[in-house]
Amino acid sequence: MKSFRLLLIAAACAAFVGTAQARMGGNFGLGFIAGLPSGLSGKLWLNNTNAVDMILGFNPSDDWLQVRADYVWHEFNLFPVSSGQLPLYYGMGAGTEISGGGLGLLARGVVGIEYLFPRAPLDAFFEIGPGIRVFPRTDFDMSAGLGMRYYF
């Protein structure tokens, strides 16, 4: 009886993870973001509503490189669409910035909207991220970008 319960729990967990993967073709997406910063964008879905967004981006005019990660929640029922899904997402994260002034740390929030294509393992998104640089100086930071990722 104990092994039957374990098997049932394992099957339920597999179905839950399978639902998140079937929606997008996989739970990890890799693509690009254009804006401030511009560069690579990655997303790792942890379950049906939570993910970790990552960006490796640069700003050639100010000569800096940023690496950041955000933990995000998705609200799927706010914007009904006839095909695909259109969740609002929001969250918080941290990052590091390398520039001529050295290494910096930042904390940020993020809010965005993402379109999940119904028949392709793709998403398209727009996000804004207000933040604060906390080291080596304290000042306001704002980022925004438009991007697309392929899931596998």
Side-chain angles (χ1 to χ4, degrees):
M1 185 67 174
K2 204 175 209 181
S3 61
F4 179 74
R5 267 191 268 172
L6 287 174
L7 182 63
L8 190 60
I9 291 170
C13 289
F16 183 74
V17 171
T19 302
Q21 291 179 352
R23 180 179 60 216
M24 301 213 220
N27 65 346
F28 180 71
L30 187 62
F32 68 90
I33 185 167
L36 190 59
S38 292
L40 294 175
S41 173
K43 186 168 198 164
L44 176 64
W45 284 87
L46 304 173
N47 55 44
N48 281 340
T49 57
N50 302 102
V52 176
D53 278 348
M54 301 152 280
I55 292 177
L56 172 62
F58 65 95
N59 181 350
S61 64
D62 288 341
D63 194 30
W64 54 255
L65 175 75
Q66 273 190 359
V67 178
R68 49 181 209 233
D70 303 310
Y71 185 85
V72 293
W73 290 264
H74 295 77
E75 299 290 338
F76 284 92
N77 299 323
L78 294 176
F79 308 111
V81 291
S82 60
S83 181
Q85 294 176 306
L86 189 64
L88 173 78
Y89 64 91
Y90 53 90
M92 62 187 104
T96 185
E97 183 175 281
I98 302 166
S99 67
L103 182 68
L105 298 175
L106 54 107
R108 66 182 233 123
V110 65
V111 64
I113 192 162
E114 176 178 23
Y115 181 71
L116 304 169
F117 290 85
R119 291 181 182 84
L122 296 171
D123 75 0
F125 64 93
F126 172 75
E127 67 179 35
I128 58 172
I132 298 175
R133 274 188 195 82
V134 293
F135 179 81
R137 65 188 190 281
T138 303
D139 63 357
F140 181 71
D141 180 67
M142 179 60 95
S143 63
L146 179 67
M148 182 173 260
R149 291 179 287 249
Y150 175 81
Y151 286 86
F152 48 95

